[in-house]
Amino acid sequence: MAYIFEEPSRTFSEYLLVPGYTSRECTPANVSLGCALVKYRPDREEPAVKMNIPLTSAIMQSVSDDRMAVALAKEGGISFIFGSQSIESQTAMVARVKSYKSGFVISDSNVAPSATLNDVLALKEKTGHSTVAVTHDGTTNGMMLGLITSRDYRVSRMTGDEPVSGFMTPVDKVITAPASTTLHQANDIIWDNKLNALPILDNFGRLLYMVFRKDYDNHKENPLELLDGDKKYIVGAGINTRDYETRVPALIEAGADVLCIDSSEGYTEWQAVTLAWIRENYGDRVKVGAGNVVDEDGFRFLADAGADFVKVGIGGGSICITREQKGIGRGQATAVIDVARARDAYYGETGIYIPICSDGGIVHDYHFTLALAMGADVLMLGRYFARFDEAPSTRVSVGGNYMKEYWGEGSARARNWQRYDLGGESKLSFEEGVDSYVPYAGAMKDNLAITLSKVRSTMCNVGAVTLSELRSKAKLTLVSSTSIVEGGAHDVVLKDNK
């Protein structure tokens, strides 16, 4: 008969942290969330890739593109740009992140002069941006013809069919700056002329970037931004076990700092073959994670195969139905605890520390701290980041509420058969993910600040100011179903303060 684990498969919601001693030095302001992403020998070297916050965005079409990568790098984390697209498209996204000039924004709100006010309003609804560039062909880098802001039209006095050429501010009346302009100079122009936006044009009048007044303060508010040695944002990219011989070289050429094999199940020969090819051709210069696994055997396999970090979790994602479809997986809390023990044992035997990344199962903000206390070095999040403006999915109105579209890589919409590849036909035989909505939450920065504030505060309750201290000092207790009820508001009638 099959081997049966005696311990039940548990989720994060079945645990609570027990407070420890908090000294006067243990304050949220003193907490560091820095961590290693790739393997290293702690007694003799620093990790090649470090993060300032332990968060990565999931390798998903609806979560991680170049815009999300820039936004998360500003906060100290790393995005893994989704690999279920053409090599040319993915490498272009990586290149845009690496060429991004802090403060210089590539315009994503552009229309042609033949577009109408209704088109502008629809674009504003989609992107949330009120400044729209008018280019000759409606593209990001087209010849700039004018600029539209909310001051250029009044919806109540217009039909919506008016062409933008009739109400835009023509480019000859717009203050612009040449490509040689520095960020400092651009901000001076903005402040001296009381502008909200400054277009940056090349010598032929093509739109290159937009510099916004509001981004000046944002630039000063990103002390944790994650940069490489050339002061460029660090970015990751997903790969698969089919076209790695062509995709990996292209991504490295584009500037990707770290790669990760995107697969629903990592304890396979295909992952070992992919890792072996990368090591044979690039040695240890290319950093690549592997996964996903849920137990010690899976971790050991990928560690011995040469993975720089190991991703943990099968079936725990909010849009993942692998457990329903195939009966494969493990509760995320149990998986993280088991793999963390394997990582520590491996470190004790070899002196090599291989970080683990918990992927899936995060529902509430307090789950972040629980996962880190259980041994995760890094967290990978899909649903959490999909709610924000920076995610590439569309914002829609559902039942009078704003939502963001969110679909799994195993859904019919994504058709990412490579992620579920078991060496058979090049197709997705059945779905392992769903197409869904998540409540729209606005800009990432404000939401993430609240979440990390909770993590830092909880770490202080445990008596830890670093993640390694959290792992060594944390005490966890299982909770009953009735104590979960007790943990929320109960036996009262809540006020409606809206």
Side-chain angles (χ1 to χ4, degrees), residues 174-300:
V174 176
I175 296 176
T176 63
S180 59
T181 305
T182 66
L183 183 59
H184 179 75
Q185 292 169 335
N187 284 318
D188 283 345
I189 295 172
I190 287 173
W191 288 99
D192 291 344
N193 294 276
K194 299 181 180 180
L195 305 175
N196 288 322
L198 176 68
I200 306 296
L201 309 181
D202 67 12
N203 294 334
F204 301 99
R206 291 186 293 252
L207 179 62
L208 296 177
Y209 306 104
M210 298 287 289
V211 180
F212 294 96
R213 174 189 288 263
K214 63 181 179 63
D215 287 340
Y216 175 80
D217 292 332
N218 291 342
H219 181 63
K220 297 296 183 182
E221 294 172 1
N222 296 320
L224 296 178
E225 61 183 356
L226 196 61
L227 305 172
D228 63 18
D230 296 321
K231 304 298 182 183
K232 298 179 180 179
Y233 287 128
I234 289 179
V235 60
I239 61 173
N240 61 66
T241 58
R242 284 280 182 134
D243 65 5
Y244 57 88
E245 293 186 7
T246 51
R247 189 174 294 267
V248 169
L251 289 170
I252 297 305
E253 178 67 24
D257 297 280
V258 58
L259 307 175
C260 184
I261 302 174
D262 181 29
S263 175
S264 65
E265 207 271 288
Y267 192 1
T268 71
E269 183 178 356
W270 293 283
Q271 294 223 0
V273 170
T274 302
L275 290 167
W277 183 89
I278 292 173
R279 294 294 170 240
E280 180 181 349
N281 288 273
Y282 295 96
D284 291 329
R285 180 169 63 87
V286 170
K287 304 302 179 184
V288 55
N292 288 17
V293 299
V294 293
D295 64 1
E296 177 183 358
D297 292 341
F299 173 85
R300 281 277 175 163

